[in-house]
């Protein structure tokens, strides 16, 4: 290793933080070459026993490979790691697209400054999906939808989901494609009595067009750290890989994991998925023009905080995407702005059939969630069915949703303001202002018996629709509140106000 790759001490005045404080080991990143050796530099610093490691990025553009920086099975409880971005831009590695090439369904496409749309305008299909043979299906679409389409992929809406299917052939207005299962294909029709919507992939090429294939920049597994901090970095473009995301953590112990003042733009894949990783603090970040999920923290993540963030034009891949999805104990989602998001802005709670090794409780407060007039006028290009700005899964040990402002929410069918789905229980909804919900309830808690364990052996839920309260909210539409039958349901519908 050369001196250029690892510089433990530049000078005492530069690297010492206060009198008596230990100096930091600084790993400078100022070129693609130094960025390419980041893993080796980091491992060398750890092996030398450094306790404070700062990865310092000079302004510029850097292209990361899959799992570019990994911390795997490292027990470092006294080591702090900081990534300082100085607005450096990190982009998923991939080739320049100079000629028309087959569309890559798992890649983002970007030019120098903007994310390029991967799918075109939405059109109403002229038929439902029809089985042809084996796993081959066909669907009839309008001529306008096929203008310029020679192949690639079809995106098909399916109630609260949307999937991409490889096109086999096009004959007249019939598009033939293969699907592994027919269960969802016509769910728009069976659930919402609507014809499905179709969109077709868009090919891009040119000297400034780049394909982003790499999905994950930071991967942390089975490790402990004193702290981990990412600040001032801009992430522009990544690919989509199943069970992976830009930041991926599994079984991580840390006193604090801060993601602060970063920018996320043009991501085809998810932003962050955390399993059994506590003390995540996602603050003051801006996420825009992204297709997948934002921050997802599972039930073993304690103390997840998301505050002061902005989400604008997210969930563009359609389907059941969340900007923030938190479970676990003592979560807090507060003071965020969600504008033109996908299926929902914030989701809390645990799915009725999942194991629940820990409590799921916390607060969602003082957030603003809305769609703009332009977004609503083109809602078919963005939205699916059966969602809510705030979405609540079945199992909660005390979810408090209070003092949020939710307005101008629309969609294809049954898109609520606050939605307690699948017999959600253990929820307080208070002090919210909810108005201009175009096609459903301002607040919706529907009675669902079939997911109780006595009726569904896969369920881990004994009783649904219990211990809920709705009071002090201001709405201009209807509230549906359906508790469990009996005097011991613990439910309370208090005074709510008409706007």
């Amino acid at each position: 290793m050369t001196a250029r790759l690892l510089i433990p001490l530049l000078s005492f005045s530069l690297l010492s933080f206060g009198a008596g404080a230990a100096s930091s080991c600084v790993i400078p990143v100022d070129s693609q070459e130094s960025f390419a050796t980041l893993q080796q530099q980091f491992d060398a610093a750890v092996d030398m026993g450094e306790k404070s490691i700062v990865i310092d990025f000079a302004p510029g553009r850097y292209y990361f490979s899959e799992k570019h920086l990994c911390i795997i099975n490292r027990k470092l409880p006294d080591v702090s790691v900081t990534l300082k971005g100085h607005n450096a831009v990190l982009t998923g590695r991939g080739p320049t697209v100079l000629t028309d090439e087959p569309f890559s369904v798992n890649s983002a496409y970007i030019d120098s400054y903007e994310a390029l749309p991967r799918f075109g305008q939405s059109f109403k299909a002229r038929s439902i999906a029809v089985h042809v043979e084996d796993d081959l299906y066909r669907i009839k679409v309008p001529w306008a939808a096929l203008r310029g389409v020679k192949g690639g992929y079809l995106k098909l809406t399916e109630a609260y989901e949307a999937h991409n299917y490889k096109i086999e052939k096009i004959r007249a207005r019939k598009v033939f494609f293969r699907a592994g299962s027919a269960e969802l294909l016509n769910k728009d029709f069976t659930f919402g009595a609507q014809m499905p919507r179709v969109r077709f992939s868009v090919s891009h090429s040119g000297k400034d067009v780049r394909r982003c294939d790499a999905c994950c920049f930071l991967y942390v597994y089975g490790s402990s750290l004193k702290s981990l901090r990412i600040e001032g970095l801009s992430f522009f473009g990544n690919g989509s890989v199943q069970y992976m995301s830009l930041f991926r953590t599994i079984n991580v112990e840390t006193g604090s994991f801060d993601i602060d003042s970063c920018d996320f733009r043009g991501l085809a894949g998810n932003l962050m998925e955390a399993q059994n990783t506590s003390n995540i603090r996602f603050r003051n970040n801006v996420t825009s023009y992204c297709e997948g999920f934002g921050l997802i923290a599972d039930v073993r993540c304690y103390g997840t905080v998301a505050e002061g963030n902005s989400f604008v034009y997210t969930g563009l891949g359609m389907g059941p995407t969340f900007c923030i999805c938190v479970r676990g104990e003592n979560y807090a989602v507060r003071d965020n702005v969600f504008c033109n998001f996908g299926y929902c802005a914030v989701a809390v709670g645990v799915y009725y059939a999942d194991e629940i090794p820990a409590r799921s409780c916390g607060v969602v407060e003082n957030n603003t969630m809305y769609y703009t007039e332009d977004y609503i006028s083109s809602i078919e290009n963005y939205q699916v069915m059966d969602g809510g700005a705030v979405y609540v899964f079945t199992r909660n040990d005390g979810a408090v949703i209070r003092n949020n402002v939710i307005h101008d929410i629309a969609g294809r069918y049954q898109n609520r303001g606050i939605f307690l789905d699948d017999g959600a229980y253990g929820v307080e909804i208070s002090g919210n202002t909810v108005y201009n919900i175009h096609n459903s309830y301002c607040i919706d808690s529907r009675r669902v018996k079939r997911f109780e364990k006595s009726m569904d052996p896969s369920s881990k839920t004994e009783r649904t629709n219990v211990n809920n309260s709705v009071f002090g909210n201001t709405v201009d539409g209807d509230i549906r509140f359906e508790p469990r039958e009996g005097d011991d349901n613990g439910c309370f519908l208090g005074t709510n106000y008409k706007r």
Side-chain angles (χ1 to χ4, degrees):
M1 183 183 63
T2 67
R4 182 173 180 271
L5 295 181
L6 181 64
I7 306 177
L9 290 174
L10 295 181
S11 71
F12 183 84
S13 61
L14 176 63
L15 299 174
S16 178
F17 300 100
S23 60
S24 293
C25 164
V26 176
I27 300 174
V29 176
D30 55 10
S31 66
Q32 185 63 34
E33 290 73 22
S34 60
F35 184 58
T37 60
L38 178 58
Q39 184 70 61
Q40 296 94 308
Q41 297 182 69
F42 176 81
D43 291 341
V46 170
D47 292 343
M48 289 173 61
E50 299 289 350
K51 303 304 182 186
S52 178
I53 301 171
V54 177
I55 301 170
D56 194 69
F57 288 83
R61 174 75 67 88
Y62 306 94
Y63 298 94
F64 62 85
S65 303
E66 193 66 35
K67 296 183 181 177
H68 195 90
L69 179 60
C70 294
I71 305 174
I72 300 176
N73 295 329
R74 292 275 198 173
K75 302 305 179 184
L76 309 169
D78 55 352
V79 174
S80 297
V81 179
T82 301
L83 284 71
K84 290 188 175 182
H86 307 293
N87 296 315
V89 179
L90 274 59
T91 294
R93 183 181 289 278
T96 299
V97 186
L98 294 176
T99 59
D100 290 332
E101 63 173 36
F103 176 79
S104 175
V105 72
N106 294 319
S107 303
Y109 288 84
I110 64 174
D111 64 14
S112 299
Y113 305 103
E114 295 183 353
L116 302 175
R118 303 194 321 131
F119 285 83
Q121 181 182 343
S122 173
F123 291 88
K124 183 187 292 185
R126 295 291 184 258
S127 75
I128 61 173
V130 177
H131 181 246
V132 178
E133 61 183 13
D134 299 327
D135 61 350
L136 186 66
Y137 295 82
R138 72 169 185 264
I139 192 166
K140 191 175 184 180
V141 303
W143 283 114
L146 292 172
R147 189 173 294 119
V149 176
K150 298 178 181 178
Y153 282 79
L154 160 77
K155 183 185 290 289
L156 185 67
T157 59
E158 301 157 349
Y160 52 85
E161 298 189 84
H163 288 97
N164 303 323
Y165 299 100
K166 181 78 166 62
I167 296 172
E168 290 292 314
K169 60 183 177 180
I170 300 172
R171 294 289 183 269
R173 289 189 295 163
K174 295 184 178 69
V175 179
F176 293 77
F177 62 96
R178 297 193 182 274
S181 170
E183 181 180 357
L184 295 175
L185 291 180
N186 291 313
K187 210 165 182 179
D188 270 7
F189 188 78
T190 58
F191 176 74
Q194 296 184 30
M195 286 296 181
R197 288 275 167 168
V198 296
R199 299 174 67 186
F200 292 93
S201 58
V202 178
S203 296
H204 300 282
S205 62
K207 64 182 180 64
D208 294 325
V209 176
R210 178 175 288 272
R211 199 181 76 209
C212 302
D213 299 334
C215 171
C216 180
F217 166 66
L218 175 66
Y219 181 73
V220 188
Y221 176 88
S223 297
S224 60
L225 293 162
K226 182 178 181 180
S227 67
L228 179 58
R229 181 175 179 83
I230 305 170
E231 63 177 53
L233 276 168
S234 179
F235 294 89
F236 177 34
N238 80 330
S240 177
V241 176
Q242 191 175 24
Y243 308 123
M244 195 52 63
S245 52
L246 184 69
F247 305 149
R248 185 71 168 102
T249 66
I250 304 173
N251 299 335
V252 178
E253 297 180 23
T254 177
S256 62
F257 185 173
D258 291 274
I259 303 166
D260 200 323
S261 303
C262 292
D263 182 76
F264 304 94
R265 186 162 48 102
L267 304 182
N270 298 333
L271 195 163
M272 180 173 182
E273 297 173 77
Q275 292 176 247
N276 193 22
T277 304
S278 296
N279 302 312
I280 298 167
R281 297 182 296 203
F282 190 83
R283 292 172 167 161
N284 308 313
N285 303 292
V286 177
T287 303
S288 61
Y289 296 94
C290 294
E291 292 201 10
F293 292 80
L295 169 63
I296 308 170
D298 81 350
V299 72
R300 294 178 297 164
C301 294
Y302 175 89
T304 303
V305 175
E307 63 182 356
N309 305 288
S310 295
F311 292 83
V312 183
Y313 279 98
T314 56
L316 296 180
M318 307 178 80
T321 59
F322 316 127
C323 298
I324 301 289
C325 181
V326 285
R327 304 176 176 94
E329 193 169 357
N330 198 32
Y331 58 74
V333 181
R334 56 190 175 225
D335 302 319
N336 304 284
V337 175
F338 303 90
C339 174
N340 299 341
F341 47 89
Y343 181 76
C344 83
V346 179
V348 300
V350 181
Y351 183 60
Y352 72 91
D354 286 349
E355 296 291 345
I356 184 165
R359 287 165 50 84
S360 180
C361 56
V363 63
V364 178
E365 62 184 351
N366 301 325
N367 302 284
T368 301
M369 311 172 194
Y370 68 100
Y371 296 157
T372 62
E373 184 177 343
D374 288 347
Y375 184 89
I376 292 174
S377 68
S378 301
I379 201 71
E380 298 284 1
N381 291 319
Y382 303 115
Q383 272 296 339
V384 290
M385 301 178 177
D386 196 32
V390 176
Y391 180 93
V392 184
F393 287 93
T394 305
R395 301 158 64 191
N396 299 272
D397 298 289
V400 179
I401 302 166
R402 66 189 176 202
N403 302 331
N404 302 283
V405 177
I406 302 170
H407 64 92
D408 294 287
I409 301 299
R412 301 194 57 233
Y413 182 64
Q414 292 189 359
N415 301 84
R416 297 85 164 174
I418 301 174
F419 183 25
L420 279 64
D421 198 11
D422 292 343
Y425 63 82
V427 186
E428 175 192 308
I429 302 174
S430 61
N432 302 283
T433 300
V434 187
Y435 61 96
N436 287 353
I437 307 302
H438 286 224
N439 65 2
S440 193
Y441 298 95
C442 290
I443 300 171
D444 185 6
S445 174
R446 62 190 180 93
R447 175 74 175 109
V448 182
K449 302 178 182 180
R450 68 181 185 276
F451 293 143
E452 293 184 355
K453 193 172 183 179
S454 61
M455 302 184 70
D456 184 346
S458 70
S459 177
K460 304 299 189 295
T461 301
E462 299 291 341
R463 302 164 77 235
T464 60
N465 297 94
V466 297
N467 299 324
N468 293 328
S469 58
V470 178
F471 62 91
N473 302 285
T474 301
V475 301
D476 70 346
D478 293 332
I479 293 175
R480 177 165 65 174
F481 185 74
E482 297 179 346
R484 193 178 198 277
E485 300 83 357
D487 297 329
D488 60 345
N489 59 50
C491 291
F492 171 68
L493 178 61
T495 301
N496 296 278
Y497 308 96
K498 279 290 184 179
R499 179 181 168 87

